[in-house]
Amino acid sequence: MDTALDRAVRVFCERGYHATSIGDLTAAMRLATGSVYKAFRDKQAVFLAAFERYAAVRREQTRSAAARGTNGRERLRHVLLSYVEHSQGIEGRRGCIVVGGAVELAALDPDVRARVNAQLETNETFIAGLIREGQADGSIPAHVATDDTSRLMICITQGMRVVGKARLPLDGERLVGVAMKLLA
Amino acid sequence: MDTALDRAVRVFCERGYHATSIGDLTAAMRLATGSVYKAFRDKQAVFLAAFERYAAVRREQTRSAAARGTNGRERLRHVLLSYVEHSQGIEGRRGCIVVGGAVELAALDPDVRARVNAQLETNETFIAGLIREGQADGSIPAHVATDDTSRLMICITQGMRVVGKARLPLDGERLVGVAMKLLA
DNA sequence: GATAATAGGGAATGATTGTTCCCAAATCAA
DNA sequence: TTGATTTGGGAACAATCATTCCCTATTATC
C-alpha cells in the first residue's frame, strides 16, 4: 500500500489535484477504482494520505542533509543545497506536493490548508533551530534575526520549487553561496 | 472587455485553472457562455488572456514601486517591499496567476509554461538591471553577483506568494530588511 | 426605413468526472 | 469440504464539465 501511495504522490506532484482523475490514480497505483475507494474515503483522502507520505519522506531527506554538516551554519548550508537539488531536473519538473497543495487548494480546502501550514511551520522551526545551533557553536553571528531569517528561507525554498517546476535552471553552489549571506 | 478580463483574473488567481469552470467564469465576467466562446477560442485562451492582463498590471505596479527609490539599492528595496505587500492579506490569499500557472500547468501545457518562463525572466532581468544601477551609482557593492542574486530574488518573490497563499503572515519591513543583506 | 451584420444570451450535447454498487476470486474458520 | 469473510476488480450512475448551436436584440449600411 505504501508503494501504491508513493505512486500516487508522483501523479499528484506532476499534475496537481484537480487535473488528476481517479483514472490517473488507478493507473498509477495499479489498483481498480473500487479498490481505491475501499482504501480511501474519497479523492481528497487519497491526496491527504499522499501529502503525508510525501512530507514524511522529504522531512527525512532534509534531516539527513543537515546531518552532513559539522556545525549549525554547515548544516543549514546542506539543507539549502538539498532543496536546490530537489527543485531541479526531473524531480523539480515533477514538482512539490506541498507547493501544489498551497497554490491549488489553500483557498478551497481548509483541511489541505491546515496541513500545508503545518508543514511550512515544521520546516521553518527546523531551520530556526539550525540557526540557533549555529549561534551557539559560533558559526553564525548572534545578531542574525532567527525568526525573520528562517521565514525568508522558507520563501526561498518554496520559491525554488516554483522556479524549478517552470524549468528555469538553478545552480546549487552559486545560489546557496549567495543565500548564505543572510547568515552574515 | 478589459473589465471582464480583470474579473477573470481574480477567479483564476483564487481557484487556479482546473477548479475554475466555465460557469465560474461566466458568473465572474458577467457574460453568458456563448459570449465567452465568441470572445475566446476556449478556456485555455481565456486563461492566457487573463495571464497577459495580470502580468501587464503587475509589471506596471513593480515599475512604479521601483520609481519610489532614489538609487539602485533603494529601488530594489521598494520592489521587494511591493512584492511582500502583494503577497499578503486579501491579495495574497487570492494568489498569483503566474505562480498558479507555473505550479498547475507548467508540466501539462507548453504554451502556459512558455509564458510563465517569459514572465519570470522579465522580472529577473528587471531586478538584475536594478542591481547594476546600484553598482553604477555606488549603492550596491561591485562584488555582488548580479545573475545569481537576481535569480535568488526571483525565488524569494515567488516563494512569498506561495507562503502568502497559505496565509502565513509576512512582515514587509523585517523580511526585506533581511533580504537586503544579499546586496552586502 | 429595410436589410444585413454583429453581439450577447442560454439551452442542448457529448465527454468526463467522482462515486457507488455488485460481482468474482481468494482467504480463513469450522 | 463447506460456509463466511475479505479483497480486488470493473461496470453503472448521476453530476458536472467544456463546447457547440441557435435564437434574439442591437447596431450598422444602404
Side-chain angles (χ1 to χ4, degrees), chain A:
Chain A
M1 175 54 67
D2 258 9
T3 143
L5 209 48
D6 279 328
R7 290 195 263 253
V9 167
R10 288 174 64 111
V11 184
F12 276 131
C13 281
E14 190 155 345
R15 308 179 56 84
Y17 181 79
H18 289 102
T20 299
S21 70
I22 301 293
D24 294 330
L25 281 175
T26 58
M29 300 170 85
R30 289 106 181 260
L31 288 176
T33 319
S35 305
V36 169
Y37 276 87
K38 209 148 285 181
F40 303 96
R41 186 165 34 79
D42 54 16
K43 183 180 165 185
Q44 191 227 28
V46 185
F47 182 82
L48 285 173
F51 186 104
E52 224 58 45
R53 171 110 185 115
Y54 176 90
V57 169
R58 291 287 300 126
R59 194 157 38 231
E60 194 40 52
Q61 288 171 334
T62 302
R63 309 289 135 137
S64 91
R68 289 202 278 276
T70 55
N71 59 31
R73 159 183 280 265
E74 278 303 296
R75 279 193 278 278
L76 190 38
R77 199 172 71 81
H78 278 102
V79 166
L80 291 178
L81 269 175
S82 160
Y83 256 100
V84 181
E85 295 312 316
H86 284 282
S87 303
Q88 253 190 333
I90 195 171
E91 190 180 345
R93 242 167 274 136
R94 189 176 300 136
C96 166
I97 212 175
V98 179
V99 172
V103 171
E104 205 180 348
L105 293 173
L108 306 176
D109 187 323
D111 293 340
V112 173
R113 182 172 67 240
R115 284 300 305 132
V116 168
N117 276 327
Q119 185 61 24
L120 291 181
E121 272 162 19
T122 297
N123 289 344
E124 186 175 305
T125 302
F126 181 67
I127 288 177
L130 291 180
I131 294 178
R132 273 187 278 267
E133 280 183 45
Q135 289 174 326
D137 65 31
S139 59
I140 296 176
H143 61 74
V144 166
T146 311
D147 292 351
D148 298 336
T149 305
S150 56
R151 175 138 304 182
L152 186 62
M153 286 196 171
I154 290 299
C155 291
I156 290 177
T157 57
Q158 303 306 298
M160 288 192 305
R161 306 241 44 164
V162 173
V163 171
K165 181 122 191 181
R167 306 195 186 188
L168 284 199
L170 299 168
D171 185 307
E173 291 294 343
R174 294 169 65 183
L175 230 49
V176 173
V178 174
M180 291 301 282
K181 286 169 144 191
L182 298 173
L183 304 179

Side-chain angles (χ1 to χ4, degrees), chain B residues 26-182:
Chain B
T26 58
M29 300 169 87
R30 288 100 179 269
L31 288 175
T33 318
S35 306
V36 169
Y37 276 87
K38 207 149 285 178
F40 304 95
R41 185 166 35 80
D42 54 17
K43 184 181 164 184
Q44 190 226 29
V46 185
F47 182 83
L48 284 172
F51 186 104
E52 224 58 46
R53 171 111 184 115
Y54 176 91
V57 169
R58 291 287 299 126
R59 195 156 38 231
E60 194 42 52
Q61 288 171 334
T62 302
R63 309 288 135 136
S64 91
R68 288 202 280 275
T70 54
N71 59 31
R73 158 182 280 266
E74 278 303 296
R75 279 194 277 278
L76 190 38
R77 199 173 70 82
H78 278 102
V79 166
L80 291 178
L81 268 175
S82 161
Y83 255 100
V84 181
E85 294 312 317
H86 284 282
S87 304
Q88 252 191 333
I90 194 170
E91 191 180 344
R93 242 166 275 137
R94 190 175 299 135
C96 167
I97 211 175
V98 179
V99 173
V103 171
E104 205 180 347
L105 293 172
L108 306 175
D109 186 326
D111 293 340
V112 173
R113 182 173 63 240
R115 283 300 305 130
V116 167
N117 276 328
Q119 185 60 25
L120 291 180
E121 270 161 19
T122 298
N123 289 343
E124 186 175 302
T125 303
F126 182 67
I127 288 177
L130 292 179
I131 294 177
R132 274 188 277 267
E133 280 184 45
Q135 289 173 324
D137 65 31
S139 59
I140 295 176
H143 61 73
V144 166
T146 312
D147 291 351
D148 298 335
T149 304
S150 55
R151 174 137 305 181
L152 186 63
M153 286 196 170
I154 289 299
C155 291
I156 290 178
T157 57
Q158 303 306 106
M160 289 191 305
R161 306 242 43 166
V162 173
V163 172
K165 182 123 192 178
R167 306 197 183 184
L168 285 198
L170 300 168
D171 185 307
E173 291 294 343
R174 295 170 63 182
L175 231 48
V176 173
V178 174
M180 292 301 282
K181 286 170 151 190
L182 298 174

